[in-house]
Amino acid sequence: MLDLTPKEITERTALRINPAKTCQPVGAMYAALGVHRCMPHSHGSQGCCSYHRTFLTRHFKDPAIASSSSFTEGASVFGGGSNLKTAVRNIFDIYKPDIIAVHTTCLSETIGDDVGAFIQDMDIEEGKYVVHCHTPSYVGSHITGYGNMIAGFIKYLSRSTGRKHDRLNIIPGFVNPGDMREIKRILDLMGIPFIMLPDTSGVLDAPMLGRYTMYPPGGTRIDDIIAMGDSPLTLALGELACEDPANELKRKCGVDYKLLPLPMGIGATDQFIMALSNFSGHEVPYALEEERGQLIDILLDSHPYFHGKSVAIYGDPDTVLGITGLVLEMGMIPKYVITGTPGEAFTEKAQELFSKFGVTGCTAKAFSDLFELHQWIKNDRVDLLIGGSYGKQIAKAEDIPLVRAGFPILDRYVHSYMPLVGYRGAMRLVEMILNALMDRQDRDCADEDLELVM
Amino acid sequence: MKAQSLLLEERQGFIHQKGSCGSVSIQCDTESLSGAVSQRACVYCGARVVLNPITDAFHIVHGPIGCASYTWDIRGSLSSGAEWYRNSFSTDLSEQDVIFGGEKKLWEALSEVTRVHSPRVIFVYATCIVGVIGDDVRAVCKRAEEKFGIPVIPVMSPGFAGHKSVGYRMACNALMELLSRAPKAPKRGGSVNILGDFNLAGEMWIIKNYLEEMGVKVVARITGDATCEELMHAGEAALNVVQCAGSMTYLAKRMEEAMGIPWIKVSFFGIEDTSQSLIHIAQALGDREAEKKARELIARETRALEPVLCRSRELLGGKKAAIYVGGGFKAISLIKQFREIGMETVVVGTQTGRKEDYDIINSLVREGTVVLDDANPAELEYFIREKQADVLVGGVKERPLAYKLGVAFLDHNHERRHPLAGFVGVRNFVKELQLSVNSPVWQYVR
Ligand code: SF4
């Protein structure tokens, strides 16, 4: 019944069916939740704010707090300046955050609200902050919004005093709190002091302690964001999501940056750890060597079960590229690799990976959607799907196993607590891939072929 | 934290505690405050939830991608046939379109849809910026309807034009537009339309079965599990039965004006309301036989539920409930339902309740119960704690809040897992309550 996608592919130029992206503000909201005692604020109609909070709540299974300017007909004609002013006053009065992070919506952008000027006109109490960024929903995707919000924090807060400290800046790509924890663990193992912006661990994976706090203990501290301007270097982990904010910091405070892929899989994690080692001049500790060795050991033990299998990967650009890298390292064939986020850089990077590993016949496409992916699969199927929950219709219609990884995952639990990055994250992903393929083998094989030892 | 310091002065009027000196004067049905962490949704959301369950409709969102993403396969409304409504169609407007207008893209999108699929009806949702960039969506729809020969109906739903209830009205207008295209047909005596049930977890099927057992014919289901064809016959029914009054009273009134169909309000949540509603329907149709059958059905089902209720009173009696739901009618049914199992409602709030609803609520609850309109999480938290509620009934945004507070939860919204309507719904309702309230996990919460 769910299988309504026709096999025959017809050209579409205007119609988007079953998107693999969503709008900018939700990414901005996510980034803002990664700052301690910050209230994300949506400058637009209240429906946007409600949708974005719901969307985040469905993925993280945790409350996602945010306020809205609650535009009315009047605001859409005369501008939302007074709504924003009232909103900011009310938010400080009642919810008592230390900082309000305003992002726009398609509406406030289209009517041309000058949010920066509105904020300049406000009387803001000493020690409190209001920052903003532009997140027009008709440009880019939630990934763009995530980067824009981080850049917004930097633009308003980071300062260069001329006195450098030794803490390394880390800008993680659009990943789960579990990934942010893993990145921090690796930095600790390397003995490197750091500032990470944003940091949603301890916010959107906050523990149950029997009371609700609007501002859980996690999140980047405002003082640290200010101090980012005096850091010796920024590592931006996500070639497509993190360049803008890193660049903003360079422009404003002269902090150099290094752009790296999300540390997913062996090669990209090696790259990350080498960059850390170069920065600190420290050797890589045995603990990390051990993890890497374990990962390789696992891959060797299990390679017959995945080598040569074909896979379709969809989702956010950096995550999809990271997973593509890992499956190539495993000897799998990433036959279709798509993201809904526009930008040819994605396609180029995917092509680079294909040629680096010498695979042919693989397709990469940005600004694509799941309907298109489904049509490709109908014409030439794959053994496995990797991506968020929205692929489950395809998985069911085509009877293909699905490994849930990335954003959003609306129909499973625990994912946001666990990493996909680093060697440990790769181990987890390898385990999920193996389980999916081997469960399928068990399900499909004849009784006499059911193997106890595999 | 003191309530005074927590609650904005401007919000005080929206919160009411039932006291000894009777009358209510809660403020409601107004816009949310700027800056509030409101749980409320917008016009588009309201319109979409009403129309979405039409299973063979193509729902095309004209606007940037977000609105289409967030409403893709919003769960719960089940279909017995077509599944088109479970896909996400949109024009995914880009910067170019915002500058030069999106009419051309909308036209293209409509052509692309009709070229490949054969839709029976298309709804085009005009979201936040469409009016602002000057697109004449009505004109494009009209042209498409002429060219493709199927109803192409605009749904005017910019988010800023009000909250969810305005969206309900826009959806009702769209439905009226669709119905206006139906050929004239004679009335079918003793038949009804069901308005305002969205077949969440199959609830429409339960209600329809009850009515069929009573010998009452259901002409059109508006909109749970409906098809375009079925809706076109709605004008032939003798009576409109309105379940979700908040969303559908307006449609009932318009159908009464235009087609002379009388209507009654019903609710199928809880034994008391379900029983009353079935009898009320039979009486409104003047159908003695149906009334007799309804009474038999009610007696049978109530008898079967007795042991369940007995057991629930043992397990749940004396516990306290907090309610935060969309519309007033549901809150009212829930208060009664809790009463049936010996639970007391200590906090009750709605997103879009009206004055009449709050009057009824106030007459149902005990002294000291807190009544809130358009509450934010801080208020909910404060009162759930103060009133020591054991369980919260709400929707997706309230679930993690409840759990973080260490309070059990029951989803009474789109994500409900089992049908909660009718007599079988009572069974599921108490079962889910028990599972959540008595989960072993609570004993580890410190
Ligand atoms: S697309 Fe625009 S109107 Fe829709 S949710 Fe995103 S910001 Fe709001």
Side-chain angles (χ1 to χ4, degrees), chain A residues 98-123:
Chain A
D98 292 342
I99 179 167
I100 298 172
V102 182
H103 60 260
T104 56
T105 62
C106 56
L107 178 62
S108 49
E109 285 294 331
T110 309
I111 63 176
D113 268 3
D114 188 349
V115 175
F118 296 159
I119 292 175
Q120 261 175 10
D121 282 349
M122 288 174 190
D123 290 324

Short mmCIF file of all heavy atoms in Angstrom, two decimals, chain A residues 98-123:
data_model
loop_
_atom_site.label_atom_id
_atom_site.label_comp_id
_atom_site.label_asym_id
_atom_site.label_seq_id
_atom_site.Cartn_x
_atom_site.Cartn_y
_atom_site.Cartn_z
N ASP A 98 20.54 33.55 30.42
CA ASP A 98 21.65 34.51 30.38
C ASP A 98 21.78 35.13 29.00
O ASP A 98 22.34 36.19 28.83
CB ASP A 98 22.97 33.81 30.74
CG ASP A 98 22.98 33.38 32.20
OD1 ASP A 98 22.15 33.92 32.98
OD2 ASP A 98 23.78 32.50 32.56
N ILE A 99 21.27 34.39 28.02
CA ILE A 99 21.44 34.84 26.64
C ILE A 99 20.24 34.41 25.81
O ILE A 99 19.67 33.33 26.05
CB ILE A 99 22.77 34.29 26.06
CG1 ILE A 99 22.97 34.73 24.61
CG2 ILE A 99 22.85 32.76 26.16
CD1 ILE A 99 24.39 34.48 24.09
N ILE A 100 19.85 35.26 24.89
CA ILE A 100 18.78 34.91 23.96
C ILE A 100 19.40 34.85 22.57
O ILE A 100 20.09 35.78 22.16
CB ILE A 100 17.65 35.96 23.99
CG1 ILE A 100 17.00 36.02 25.39
CG2 ILE A 100 16.59 35.64 22.94
CD1 ILE A 100 16.01 37.17 25.56
N ALA A 101 19.16 33.75 21.87
CA ALA A 101 19.71 33.61 20.52
C ALA A 101 18.56 33.66 19.51
O ALA A 101 17.80 32.72 19.39
CB ALA A 101 20.47 32.29 20.39
N VAL A 102 18.47 34.79 18.83
CA VAL A 102 17.36 35.00 17.89
C VAL A 102 17.73 34.45 16.52
O VAL A 102 18.83 34.69 16.03
CB VAL A 102 17.06 36.51 17.75
CG1 VAL A 102 15.88 36.75 16.83
CG2 VAL A 102 16.83 37.16 19.11
N HIS A 103 16.81 33.70 15.93
CA HIS A 103 16.96 33.37 14.52
C HIS A 103 15.69 33.80 13.80
O HIS A 103 14.64 33.95 14.41
CB HIS A 103 17.23 31.87 14.31
CG HIS A 103 16.15 30.99 14.83
ND1 HIS A 103 16.21 30.34 16.03
CD2 HIS A 103 14.94 30.66 14.30
CE1 HIS A 103 15.11 29.64 16.23
NE2 HIS A 103 14.32 29.82 15.19
N THR A 104 15.81 34.01 12.51
CA THR A 104 14.66 34.50 11.76
C THR A 104 13.90 33.31 11.17
O THR A 104 14.28 32.16 11.36
CB THR A 104 15.10 35.44 10.63
OG1 THR A 104 16.04 34.73 9.82
CG2 THR A 104 15.74 36.69 11.19
N THR A 105 12.83 33.60 10.44
CA THR A 105 12.09 32.58 9.71
C THR A 105 11.86 33.11 8.30
O THR A 105 12.22 34.25 8.01
CB THR A 105 10.72 32.30 10.34
OG1 THR A 105 9.96 33.51 10.27
CG2 THR A 105 10.84 31.86 11.78
N CYS A 106 11.22 32.31 7.48
CA CYS A 106 11.01 32.78 6.11
C CYS A 106 10.18 34.06 6.11
O CYS A 106 10.39 34.95 5.31
CB CYS A 106 10.38 31.71 5.24
SG CYS A 106 8.84 31.03 5.84
N LEU A 107 9.26 34.16 7.08
CA LEU A 107 8.39 35.33 7.11
C LEU A 107 9.14 36.60 7.49
O LEU A 107 9.10 37.60 6.77
CB LEU A 107 7.23 35.08 8.08
CG LEU A 107 6.27 36.25 8.25
CD1 LEU A 107 5.59 36.57 6.92
CD2 LEU A 107 5.23 35.94 9.32
N SER A 108 9.87 36.56 8.61
CA SER A 108 10.55 37.80 9.03
C SER A 108 11.62 38.19 8.01
O SER A 108 11.92 39.36 7.83
CB SER A 108 11.13 37.66 10.44
OG SER A 108 11.88 36.49 10.59
N GLU A 109 12.21 37.20 7.32
CA GLU A 109 13.17 37.53 6.27
C GLU A 109 12.49 38.19 5.08
O GLU A 109 12.99 39.16 4.52
CB GLU A 109 13.88 36.26 5.79
CG GLU A 109 14.93 35.72 6.74
CD GLU A 109 16.13 36.65 6.91
OE1 GLU A 109 16.45 37.40 5.96
OE2 GLU A 109 16.73 36.63 8.00
N THR A 110 11.35 37.65 4.70
CA THR A 110 10.69 38.16 3.50
C THR A 110 10.17 39.58 3.70
O THR A 110 10.22 40.41 2.80
CB THR A 110 9.53 37.23 3.08
OG1 THR A 110 10.03 35.91 3.02
CG2 THR A 110 8.98 37.62 1.73
N ILE A 111 9.67 39.85 4.92
CA ILE A 111 9.20 41.23 5.14
C ILE A 111 10.37 42.15 5.45
O ILE A 111 10.19 43.36 5.58
CB ILE A 111 8.13 41.31 6.26
CG1 ILE A 111 8.71 40.87 7.60
CG2 ILE A 111 6.92 40.49 5.91
CD1 ILE A 111 7.73 41.03 8.75
N GLY A 112 11.58 41.58 5.55
CA GLY A 112 12.78 42.41 5.63
C GLY A 112 13.07 42.99 7.01
O GLY A 112 13.67 44.05 7.13
N ASP A 113 12.68 42.30 8.06
CA ASP A 113 13.00 42.77 9.41
C ASP A 113 14.50 42.89 9.61
O ASP A 113 15.25 41.95 9.31
CB ASP A 113 12.44 41.79 10.46
CG ASP A 113 11.05 42.18 10.90
OD1 ASP A 113 10.51 43.17 10.37
OD2 ASP A 113 10.49 41.49 11.78
N ASP A 114 14.93 44.03 10.14
CA ASP A 114 16.36 44.22 10.41
C ASP A 114 16.62 43.88 11.87
O ASP A 114 16.69 44.74 12.74
CB ASP A 114 16.74 45.67 10.12
CG ASP A 114 18.24 45.88 10.18
OD1 ASP A 114 18.96 44.97 10.66
OD2 ASP A 114 18.70 46.96 9.77
N VAL A 115 16.77 42.58 12.12
CA VAL A 115 16.85 42.10 13.49
C VAL A 115 18.08 42.68 14.20
O VAL A 115 18.02 43.06 15.38
CB VAL A 115 16.89 40.55 13.52
CG1 VAL A 115 17.09 40.04 14.92
CG2 VAL A 115 15.59 40.00 12.94
N GLY A 116 19.18 42.82 13.48
CA GLY A 116 20.39 43.40 14.06
C GLY A 116 20.12 44.79 14.62
O GLY A 116 20.50 45.12 15.75
N ALA A 117 19.41 45.60 13.83
CA ALA A 117 19.10 46.96 14.28
C ALA A 117 18.14 46.94 15.46
O ALA A 117 18.29 47.72 16.40
CB ALA A 117 18.50 47.75 13.12
N PHE A 118 17.18 46.04 15.43
CA PHE A 118 16.24 45.93 16.56
C PHE A 118 17.02 45.66 17.85
O PHE A 118 16.75 46.25 18.89
CB PHE A 118 15.25 44.78 16.38
CG PHE A 118 14.31 44.92 15.20
CD1 PHE A 118 13.68 43.81 14.66
CD2 PHE A 118 14.05 46.17 14.65
CE1 PHE A 118 12.82 43.93 13.58
CE2 PHE A 118 13.18 46.30 13.57
CZ PHE A 118 12.57 45.17 13.03
N ILE A 119 17.98 44.76 17.75
CA ILE A 119 18.72 44.38 18.96
C ILE A 119 19.58 45.54 19.45
O ILE A 119 19.67 45.81 20.65
CB ILE A 119 19.59 43.12 18.69
CG1 ILE A 119 18.67 41.91 18.46
CG2 ILE A 119 20.55 42.84 19.85
CD1 ILE A 119 19.38 40.63 18.06
N GLN A 120 20.16 46.28 18.50
CA GLN A 120 20.98 47.42 18.89
C GLN A 120 20.19 48.46 19.67
O GLN A 120 20.72 49.13 20.54
CB GLN A 120 21.59 48.07 17.65
CG GLN A 120 23.02 47.62 17.47
CD GLN A 120 23.63 48.13 16.19
OE1 GLN A 120 23.05 48.98 15.51
NE2 GLN A 120 24.80 47.62 15.89
N ASP A 121 18.91 48.55 19.35
CA ASP A 121 18.06 49.54 20.01
C ASP A 121 17.59 49.12 21.39
O ASP A 121 16.90 49.87 22.06
CB ASP A 121 16.80 49.79 19.15
CG ASP A 121 17.13 50.71 17.99
OD1 ASP A 121 18.23 51.28 18.01
OD2 ASP A 121 16.29 50.84 17.08
N MET A 122 17.90 47.91 21.77
CA MET A 122 17.35 47.42 23.04
C MET A 122 18.23 47.79 24.22
O MET A 122 19.45 47.88 24.10
CB MET A 122 17.25 45.89 23.01
CG MET A 122 16.18 45.37 22.12
SD MET A 122 16.31 43.58 22.06
CE MET A 122 15.16 43.25 20.72
N ASP A 123 17.59 47.96 25.38
CA ASP A 123 18.36 48.11 26.61
C ASP A 123 18.51 46.73 27.20
O ASP A 123 17.54 46.14 27.66
CB ASP A 123 17.58 48.97 27.62
CG ASP A 123 17.54 50.41 27.17
OD1 ASP A 123 18.55 50.88 26.60
OD2 ASP A 123 16.49 51.06 27.38
#
